[in-house]
Amino acid sequence: MSIIEERAKRTKWFMDARFGMFIHWGLYAIPARGEWVRSVERITVEEYDKYFEEFNPTDYDPKSWAKAAKEAGMKYAVMTAKHHDGFCLFDSKLTDYKSTNTKAGRDLIREYIDAFRSEGLKVGLYYSLIDWHHEDYPAYGDRNHPMRDNEEFKNKQHNFDRYLEYMHGQVRELCTNYGKIDIIWFDFSYDDMRGEKWRATELVNMVRELQPGIIIDNRLEASGESSGSIKTKNPSVYSGDFASPEQIIPPQGITDVDGDPIPWEACITMNNNWGYCASDKMFKSPKLIIRKLVECVSKNGNLLLNVGPDANGRIPDESLHILSEIGKWMKKNSKSIYNCGKASIEKPEWGYFTQNGKFLYAHVFDGNIGALPVPGIKGKVKKVRLLSDGSEMNLIDTWNIKEFPDYAFINFGPNPTATYPLPDETDTVVEFELI
Ligand code: GLC
């Protein structure tokens, strides 16, 4: 099998699942100014240590996180095992900088994996390639390191190979000690820090040997500015299994150079931060997020929606509210999300289409005047139902639509020329069973 065929086989469940939870959690929940706080504020390791001393998330209850994810209709999750600050939420033998050595005294990753697995969700781990705590990671002159312009670090020697041994060793631990891992999400490459600089071929071969079937993101090779060789017909060994656009939903989705679809997953925050940020109350509405999930699916992509739990181990109330509202919609409409992808018909004026074989889903966002014109299905419809309750809807044939013979028209009420509010203001889904 070619790399591309293997990729398609591996990612089948993932592309069917469509919706997952990203969890950014670590010491940075205490300063509560986002997960880049050390870099942004140029905080030294010693200053940052106070958060290590303090960390004690007594409310951490991953079972309740898993339940919230499942209720929202999510099928998988990805949690930060180590972020750029280097703090490990798992019991690594290779460092003391880990949750088991804090007041928490727990392997937070093991508990996450057990909890999400027992709710039937697939589990993924985020692992930062970047490490601002490790002595052998480049500091002075690096693009991102908190000490990048601190003169005291100018002549500091480091041995990057030693860092790579550590990094590879930790990935080995994660792939060995926790049973089956479904996704590993490496983050991220930049400048010349990419590909073989990470000894990426060796790393990927190790991961695939230890975890056959695991799905790997594309950031061992790619940076935010490009998806890497995953978009070519000759992808590298470490090109990854899916592209990972960040804080954007790609126009037209992501395809390879020939326009063939490749797996992709947009990662999006609920407010404007990944890690907990106490002052950031700019939460997106559930309506917007549901519509963006639909948009991803209509373009053959997934949505990985982030939560940033606080220092006590709680997912913010605003996020829980969003998850539960999404769940209400998903309970009635998830058939138009799971196993669905880009439709064979162009995007309509009033919303989006998704499709699963002979089932075409019209996601109606805009209210209509009179009947709603549906392109591309005239003469091909076996039945029409409102997805949320299964109620019958009819294609109509009235005098005022005669001029538009290429469209099928559906109506939301008894009078075909009247205006009706849509049954669901967020997204009214109409299911067409095609002949
Ligand atoms: C970026 C950020 C990081 C975040 C990630 C999520 O690469 O560095 O903080 O974890 O995006 O995609």
Side-chain angles (χ1 to χ4, degrees):
M1 252 195 283
S2 72
I3 287 193
I4 294 177
E5 284 162 341
E6 279 177 14
R7 183 176 78 201
K9 195 170 151 218
R10 265 198 299 269
T11 52
K12 172 83 175 77
W13 73 260
F14 178 67
M15 300 319 289
D16 285 346
R18 291 301 184 208
F19 191 28
M21 174 182 273
F22 217 171
I23 306 171
H24 276 73
W25 195 41
L27 298 181
Y28 43 78
I30 302 175
R33 299 188 292 275
E35 79 289 352
W36 272 68
V37 63
R38 257 205 74 195
S39 172
V40 174
E41 301 178 15
R42 293 170 168 67
I43 300 174
T44 62
V45 164
E46 294 74 26
E47 284 170 89
Y48 199 69
D49 252 350
K50 61 175 179 277
Y51 304 125
F52 182 85
E53 298 306 324
E54 188 180 325
F55 190 64
N56 191 16
T58 46
D59 294 336
Y60 178 48
D61 173 20
K63 289 199 187 78
S64 72
W65 295 8
K67 286 206 169 69
K70 189 176 180 180
E71 280 290 294
M74 293 162 158
K75 295 281 195 187
Y76 63 99
V78 179
M79 174 155 151
T80 48
K82 180 193 91 171
H83 205 271
H84 308 333
D85 66 1
F87 176 68
C88 297
L89 281 73
F90 64 105
D91 191 10
S92 171
K93 299 248 172 328
L94 305 175
T95 184
D96 292 332
Y97 200 50
K98 56 183 177 181
S99 59
T100 41
N101 286 345
T102 64
K103 287 183 187 134
R106 300 154 73 177
D107 184 328
L108 305 169
I109 288 297
R110 185 173 301 285
E111 293 183 30
Y112 148 76
I113 289 176
D114 291 347
F116 278 68
R117 274 237 170 282
S118 60
E119 284 297 329
L121 293 152
K122 303 258 191 198
V123 293
L125 299 176
Y126 168 110
Y127 183 83
S128 175
L129 300 167
I130 297 168
D131 195 315
W132 300 328
H133 186 266
H134 200 283
E135 293 225 310
D136 288 307
Y137 197 88
Y140 188 82
D142 177 73
R143 180 199 283 262
N144 306 304
H145 198 282
M147 300 299 111
R148 58 191 169 277
D149 46 19
N150 183 332
E151 296 291 324
E152 283 174 35
F153 283 74
K154 198 165 187 173
N155 297 317
K156 191 181 152 293
Q157 299 297 308
H158 68 271
N159 178 344
F160 194 60
D161 281 333
R162 217 156 43 200
Y163 172 66
L164 290 182
E165 286 303 314
Y166 172 78
M167 189 264 269
H168 283 226
Q170 286 205 317
V171 173
R172 177 180 288 281
E173 290 181 323
L174 291 171
C175 290
T176 309
N177 299 341
Y178 297 89
K180 188 167 187 291
I181 305 295
D182 299 295
I183 302 170
I184 188 148
W185 221 100
F186 292 114
D187 194 33
F188 62 77
S189 293
Y190 58 103
D191 302 337
D192 67 337
M193 307 290 276
R194 66 179 73 239
E196 292 306 357
K197 186 87 188 207
W198 306 120
R199 294 204 333 242
T201 302
E202 186 190 326
L203 186 65
V204 164
N205 287 340
M206 176 184 78
V207 169
R208 296 224 187 272
E209 193 185 310
L210 296 170
Q211 291 282 342
I214 198 168
I215 295 176
I216 308 178
D217 73 338
N218 64 336
R219 293 190 179 186
L220 273 168
E221 182 185 76
S223 56
E225 295 108 59
S226 93
S227 296
S229 68
I230 192 174
K231 284 178 96 167
T232 69
K233 290 293 185 202
N234 192 15
S236 72
V237 173
Y238 47 80
S239 57
D241 294 314
F242 62 94
S244 54
E246 180 172 329
Q247 301 290 37
I248 190 164
I249 298 176
Q252 316 293 337
I254 298 188
T255 56
D256 68 13
V257 281
D258 292 341
D260 293 326
I262 58 167
W264 62 269
E265 173 198 67
C267 51
I268 304 282
T269 51
M270 286 191 183
N271 52 0
N272 290 314
N273 278 275
W274 298 102
Y276 183 67
C277 181
S279 63
D280 179 1
K281 298 292 178 194
M282 290 294 286
F283 285 89
K284 300 166 182 69
S285 67
K287 175 175 171 174
L288 179 69
I289 297 173
I290 290 166
R291 289 180 167 201
K292 292 298 156 188
L293 170 62
V294 169
E295 185 180 336
C296 288
V297 177
S298 81
K299 297 173 175 178
N300 277 329
N302 286 16
L303 177 65
L304 186 65
L305 183 63
N306 184 68
V307 296
D310 67 19
N312 297 326
R314 290 188 168 272
I315 295 178
D317 286 344
E318 294 90 339
S319 299
L320 289 175
H321 170 72
I322 292 169
L323 290 172
S324 108
E325 289 298 306
I326 297 174
K328 284 184 202 153
W329 183 88
M330 284 290 275
K331 260 180 209 90
K332 294 180 172 171
N333 295 292
S334 63
K335 234 183 123 188
S336 67
I337 298 293
Y338 303 140
N339 309 308
C340 288
K342 187 173 161 65
S344 49
I345 307 165
E346 284 296 292
K347 180 189 175 315
E349 289 175 303
W350 33 256
Y352 289 96
F353 285 125
T354 58
Q355 190 167 9
N356 177 10
K358 63 180 181 163
F359 291 99
L360 176 75
Y361 297 97
H363 296 263
V364 189
F365 292 178
D366 292 340
N368 59 309
I369 291 176
L372 184 86
V374 186
I377 57 167
K378 188 77 180 273
K380 296 186 194 151
V381 179
K382 190 164 157 199
K383 60 183 191 195
V384 194
R385 298 285 181 267
L386 187 68
L387 184 60
S388 59
D389 65 1
S391 60
E392 182 177 49
M393 295 187 71
N394 290 314
L395 298 179
I396 59 155
D397 187 18
T398 51
W399 55 272
N400 62 342
I401 66 168
K402 298 277 188 238
E403 211 179 332
F404 313 101
D406 298 341
Y407 292 80
F409 283 81
I410 48 169
N411 199 41
F412 290 94
N415 174 355
T417 58
T419 301
Y420 297 98
L422 289 165
D424 186 336
E425 286 249 312
T426 296
D427 174 14
T428 296
V429 187
V430 181
E431 180 184 70
F432 294 94
E433 186 177 339
L434 303 177
I435 295 165

